[in-house]
Structures are given as structure tokens and as C-alpha cells.
Amino acid sequence: MTSSLASLASVTLEVADTEAAESFYTAFGLGGRVRLRASQEPTAGFRGFALSLTVAQPADVNAFLDAALAAGATELKPGKKSFWGYSGVVQAPDGTVLKVATSAKKDTGPATRAIGHLVLLLGADEVSASKKFYVGQGLAVAKSFGGKYVEFATGPDAVTLALYPRRALAKDVGLPVEGTGSHRIAFTGPAGPFTDPDGFTWESAAPAL
């Protein structure tokens, strides 16, 4: 089997209230970029993943963070400069963690709220084992930094899948690493169905009509 993450057809967030979640993600700027479905699966604490938006400049980071807070999100990390650029983290009302980041440290114009890349960061207990699993499913590695970070190849405008140590990801987004229950997220693509070593599930894409 050969594929790339251009075949990651969609990301589905499982939420208790789909109407409220749709309103939030539309206001935030991800309307149409993620799918939503109702679920009452028990879940608590850090769910082991984060959605990361890469944008052009700090003004765009702040614009997304402000929109999220106005729509009911909780601030985990305010927008702040770092060695790598500028970023901030919020948690959506449904519990999904959203990071917004840029490698730029200065603004070059007004905020546009344009998303450069949407990255799905999965917290892995053992990055090397999860990398081997996904390579076995036919995914191509684009970047790999030992057991610290792995990013898989993707097509234009597709969601990028990346692996990060679970403990490091929790620290990066400002949450305790502890968490139990459902991840409350699923992926759809021609590579499914399967469940990866960390319990994240892939579903089969419906055949084209």
C-alpha cells in the first residue's frame, strides 16, 4: 500500500454538543476544516493531541486567539515570543486543544487570519514505535528528529499529521499529562480502518460516487 497524508481525508472531533461546537469552530476560523459528530464517550484531562495552526505573523496569532476566547475558549498559554517565533494556546469548549503559531517575530502587515498549515499533533508514548506503525501503513516521512518529532508527507491544503512525545506535547500546550478515556477524535482516509499504538482510530473513507 502506498499513500501520503494527502489521503487524510478529514479529521472528526467528537463533541457533546455539535451545534455549540459548530458555532465555536466557525467563529474561530476552522469551519469546514474539521468534522463534528455527537459523542458521550467518557473523557477527562489531556486527550493526547492538539490541532496546531501555522500562520504568517504574530498579529494573525493574536487574531485567532482573540476569536477563540470571544467564542468561549479557555486560555492555556497567552500569545508570547519564544526562541522559535510567537505562539499561544487555547482549549475549545469541547476540550480540544488549539495552538496557533508563527516562526515570525514581527508583523509585516495587518492580521489576515489566513491559515498556512493545519497540523494534527499526536502525543505518542513511543514516537519511534508509532512512526514505524504509520510507515507500515504506507505513510511517507517528511521530517524526523529521532524520538522527539516526526512529520509525515502531505499534499497541498491537506492536514499534516505529526508525532510528538505525549509528555512533551502536554507541557508544550500547558496541560498536565494525565488523561483518561476517549481521545474524542477520529481520522478518515483510504488507509483505514485501524487503531494506532496510542489508541487513535482511523476510519475508511466512503467510496466516491
Side-chain angles (χ1 to χ4, degrees), residues 119-137:
V119 182
L120 176 59
L121 297 169
L122 300 186
D125 287 334
E126 293 185 25
V127 169
S128 58
S130 294
K131 172 187 173 182
K132 182 177 180 180
F133 176 84
Y134 277 111
V135 169
Q137 297 298 326

Side-chain angles (χ1 to χ4, degrees), residues 150-164:
V150 175
E151 186 176 297
F152 295 97
T154 185
D157 301 322
V159 179
T160 298
L161 181 67
L163 305 175
Y164 209 156

Side-chain angles (χ1 to χ4, degrees), residues 8-79:
L8 177 54
S10 64
V11 174
T12 299
L13 300 177
E14 297 180 337
V15 300
D17 187 334
T18 55
E19 186 175 344
E22 182 176 3
S23 177
F24 171 82
Y25 287 105
T26 297
F28 178 64
L30 282 181
R33 301 292 294 267
V34 297
R35 294 184 178 185
L36 303 168
R37 70 181 175 204
S39 174
Q40 298 298 327
E41 283 292 318
T43 186
F46 180 52
R47 296 180 186 174
F49 75 93
L51 286 173
S52 178
L53 287 66
T54 302
V55 297
Q57 58 182 356
D60 298 323
V61 173
N62 291 333
F64 275 103
L65 297 178
D66 289 346
L69 295 175
T74 300
E75 184 177 77
L76 297 180
K77 286 189 174 182

Side-chain angles (χ1 to χ4, degrees), residues 50 77 87 89 99 121 164 166-175:
K77 286 189 174 182
S87 65
V89 186
K99 179 178 181 179
L121 297 169
Y164 209 156
R166 179 184 171 93
R167 186 173 297 277
L169 179 58
K171 181 179 180 180
D172 184 57
V173 299
L175 285 174

